[in-house]
Amino acid sequence: MKVIYTDSLVIGGGLAGLRVAIASMQRGLDTIVLSLVPAKRSHSAAAQGGMQASLGATIKGDGDDEEVHFADTVKGSDWGCDQDVARMFVNTSPKAIRQLSAWGVPWSRVRRGDREVVINGEKVTITEKDEAHGLITARDFGGTKKWRTCYTSDGAGHTMLYAMDNKAIQMGIPVHERKEAIALIHEDAVCYGAIVRDLITGELIAYVAKATTIATGGYGRLYAISTNAVISEGIGNAIALETGIASLGNMEAVQFHPTAIVPVGILTTEGCRGDGGLLLDKDGYRFMPDYEPDKKELASRDVVSRRMTEHMRKGKGITSRYGDHLWLDITLLGRKHIEKNLREVKEICEYFLGIDPVEEYIPVRPTQHYSMGGIRTKATGESPNLKGLFSAGEAACWDMHGFNRLGGNSVAETVVAGMIVGEYVADYCAQNSLNVSTSTIQHFMKQEEKKITDILVRDFGENPFELKAEMQKIMMDKVGIFRNGDDLEKAVEELKVLNQRAKHVALRNRISSSNPELVEAIRVPKMIKLAQCVAYGAQLRTESRGAHAREDYPERNDRDWLKRTLTTWKDESADLPELTYEDLDVMKMEMPPGSRGYGVDNTIHHPDTGRREKQIEEIKEANPGVDRFELQKLLNPIAIPEKFKGKNERIGRGFK
Amino acid sequence: MSDQERVLKFQIFRYNPQKKGDKPRMVTYELKEAPGMTIFIALNDIREQQDPSLQFDFVCRAGICGSCAMVVNGQPTLACRTLTSNYENGEIKLLPLPGFELIGDLSVNTGKFMRAMSERVESWIHDHNADEVNFEMLEERMDPDVADKIYELERCVECGACVSACATKRMRPDFLSAVGFMRLARFALDPRDKRTDEEFYEIMGDDDGVFGCMTLLGCEDYCPKDLPHQTQIAYLRRKMVLIK
Ligand SMILES: Cc1cc2nc3c(=O)[nH]c(=O)nc-3n(C[C@H](O)[C@H](O)[C@H](O)COP(=O)(O)OP(=O)(O)OC[C@H]3O[C@@H](n4cnc5c(N)ncnc54)[C@H](O)[C@@H]3O)c2cc1C
Ligand code: SF4
Ligand code: FES
């Protein structure tokens, strides 16, 4: 049995994983990162749009700060997020971006003087301040009050990931590539690392560690059409679920992005609309102002995706052999802007559609994009049930996004969570020693060996590729943008059947080393379980919140549903996971539930909402003259790691 | 997109070094073309329907991550964004990228090569203060044009096409290659990196470095991100000549 020991094992070499590893290394711990692919190829590289941080340097970000960012994030989440975490996040994001700047990200900068931009379909001249010249600039994104999304032309994720990985290389952090974690090692509700399969040799290795962090990204590929990379299959979430101890949070919260190209589902960034692009229907008509007169194309993602779907249902879509779609028009932005700030979009249009977006409209429709759900953690990033297991980034339900995350808040989360959770991981390693028995390690190793041998010796059985395709179709058709009880019930039943069938997978290519069919056979049963968590969670949640939209329960129901879904799979032979719920405490909220300001407000209110509002008023009255920092402490006293506690400087207002 | 269906003929290099007794060979697969079909779609189709052992690497499938470079009808390119309709006679020959360790079939270990390259050119900001920077304060300013120029050189996706297309590299196994030069040019341009020209010389001032380049410029021809290799190699050379 091959065993590798380390202090801090990080599963995932994207932005979140690398940042946790860097924090571990900075604190003098031995650290290893595992990744399916070379770290720089992780999905984080695909983020084109940018990262939200309230720097307020551009004139259109004037007046921005932590409070505004906090309010946008909480509203965006449809009050489903953990406000403590959102608070830590908004306070740390400006530091994260400035640190990345020192580490080499060539963030686009403010240029003093006049420049022409497109706002609401019109060309407008804005004048950047002299004193802002050379500071990090920002663009507009959906669901934000200010221009807050910092970017590097059209390659924010690429430049962030390259800077982060370069930093990791500088620090000598080993990244073990082409390795797949397939099970967690645990004993007495403490996690001690993972059983890992080498994707080249097929060898199983036990990575034994004091702390294990899962930073494996999203589970978008549960859906047939997704903007996500083909490796975003949720295996990190699945191995946590399979412990029977760790819980997953809000798995039904799945975001659909308004503008992926048809048919392949590759994303055109929100930056297209942020920079002034419009959505048009088959008559060339701009329909969003009719639905959302205020934010129009820049309403929150979930809202725009639903409005587009509604509009297509009215017969206003363009019909194609791949189904209906709408147009994204960026022609009005002009060649110069597109070739500089939206070049990746231009390349995608040229290569995959054979069109020039400077001249022609882009065929788009809402497509699976982001997984708000994931491994449930405390604010420290640690699983509340399985000690020593941490999670960060898209894989986690740290829960700053609730039921809908804002564009630009995700790469920001990866880095901020990496910083904060990284410190707690290091604390944990300092306080705990490694005392796992060899027999436990052996037990998990044998168990995985047996599963693989069983697959390899089976003569006849299910084809893993077919099972996956069936699952992806069920999720697409029945657990999509709009959901209803009947479809969800069918989905849950059909997935149960798939789950059973997945126990009898057989291969045509029966070798244990490098073998794509075996990889699929190991993953598919895990993916089906995750799909069941999503579908079952969606079936039971009889309300609409953020991206979870029930046609049969259109109102947001704070009275009965202001709670987080927790999913565990305790009994391996069961054909459904167990769901419980964790209440969100309105009386502790800095910002009690209100209206997001889209469409009609049909919220069923929570009895505590009025009480908390009143209480907040009283606190304010009792403390006249306190500044925003003091007020925040009164309303929500949260603990941020010492390193990240300080106030953030902005031009024109210093540290105020 | 034409509505006429044609049958594509793929000739694919097959060899699994992990499998005892396996020998390199070309295998032909036929496949019905679909509208908008890319090599990514085609290869997955072949794997799912015809040969589940076929190895290849895709991650983003959108031309962004650099995983999928291979030799398509003689030319190194990103397979995921290559439409099958580009090939008029419907015959497509696929070989793994030369110059890299073969994992199996069309899959090569570019990751290992690129990590070594990054270590060799010390692909990070050299500044003792970078770790002490007070991130509560305004970030250091940068000229907007300089930021844009750095990004232009940082668009490399480490796909390896330039390495595979380099004649010098074939003769000199330790030749740094275009991807390494591009990375050095990127850091040399960056005011945050405090390395001196002498320090850069240490890294690239020999025949395995920028003086070994025979300027045949396969790199420039095949770089999928259209990076300005010729100009940057010339720039580095001039810079290095001034040192000694
Ligand atoms: C097309 C696109 C554009 C986007 N644009 C933006 C944007 O502009 N702004 C924004 O804020 N967000 C954006 N997002 C979202 C954002 O990019 C992601 O949420 C974020 O990058 C996820 O980072 P991560 O570190 O959590 O995971 P990833 O970057 O996905 O990394 C996951 C890592 O885990 C590894 N891994 C996975 N499973 C295993 C396993 N079993 N064993 C070992 N290793 C494993 C992988 O190899 C990889 O290294 C975009 C997303 C998409 C799909
Ligand atoms: S320089 Fe161009 S060809 Fe070379 S690795 Fe980078 S992107 Fe690929
Ligand atoms: S798969 Fe990412 S570039 Fe081709």
Side-chain angles (χ1 to χ4, degrees), chain A residues 50-224:
Chain A
M51 155 165 179
Q52 282 205 41
S54 58
L55 302 180
T58 169
I59 189 76
K60 299 293 282 180
D62 205 26
D64 200 7
D65 58 24
E66 294 82 358
E67 316 318 309
V68 191
H69 192 184
F70 178 78
D72 283 345
T73 302
V74 174
K75 264 191 206 165
S77 80
D78 221 352
W79 276 271
C81 74
D82 180 330
Q83 295 196 9
D84 288 1
V85 170
R87 181 41 85 177
M88 285 169 114
F89 163 73
V90 297
N91 286 11
T92 313
S93 190
K95 299 179 179 66
I97 202 164
R98 285 171 173 162
Q99 183 169 65
L100 281 173
S101 183
W103 289 356
V105 176
W107 297 110
S108 295
R109 304 286 169 145
V110 178
R111 188 188 305 272
R112 66 167 70 89
D114 289 353
R115 74 185 166 113
E116 202 172 73
V117 297
V118 176
I119 299 176
N120 192 17
E122 309 277 336
K123 288 208 165 114
V124 185
T125 301
I126 60 174
T127 311
E128 297 287 8
K129 289 184 201 156
D130 261 355
E131 66 267 32
H133 187 77
L135 294 174
I136 297 171
T137 190
R139 57 166 43 134
D140 201 5
F141 248 41
T144 66
K145 262 220 166 80
K146 302 281 176 185
W147 290 23
R148 187 188 300 126
T149 304
C150 306
Y151 61 95
T152 320
S153 296
D154 60 351
H158 171 90
T159 55
M160 290 169 74
L161 186 61
Y162 271 51
M164 196 72 91
D165 188 45
N166 287 338
K167 184 76 197 167
I169 294 173
Q170 178 190 2
M171 296 176 82
I173 295 173
V175 180
H176 294 192
E177 298 171 5
R178 297 185 187 260
K179 299 275 189 296
E180 175 160 4
I182 55 172
L184 291 176
I185 301 168
H186 56 96
E187 184 181 280
D188 301 331
V190 184
C191 181
Y192 293 106
I195 303 293
V196 175
R197 183 167 176 272
D198 184 313
L199 294 171
I200 299 177
T201 62
E203 184 183 22
L204 294 190
I205 308 161
Y207 281 78
V208 177
K210 283 186 187 168
T212 307
T213 305
I214 295 186
T216 48
Y219 46 86
R221 288 284 160 177
L222 298 182
Y223 287 81

Side-chain angles (χ1 to χ4, degrees), chain A residues 253-300:
Chain A
V254 176
Q255 181 176 75
F256 289 74
H257 193 291
T259 60
I261 64 169
V262 178
V264 284
I266 295 172
L267 185 78
T268 58
T269 167
E270 186 151 313
C272 292
R273 281 169 294 130
D275 292 0
L278 304 176
L279 291 168
L280 307 177
D281 67 12
K282 68 171 183 189
D283 307 317
Y285 176 71
R286 183 183 175 199
F287 57 91
M288 275 309 293
D290 294 353
Y291 294 99
E292 297 296 340
D294 195 21
K295 287 295 263 178
K296 307 178 183 74
E297 280 84 356
L298 287 173
S300 236

Side-chain angles (χ1 to χ4, degrees), chain B residues 114 156-162 179 182 222-225 227 229:
Chain B
M114 293 299 169
C156 164
V157 293
E158 298 195 346
C159 69
C162 57
V179 58
M182 192 52 69
Y222 292 110
C223 175
K225 295 289 153 182
L227 294 176
H229 289 288

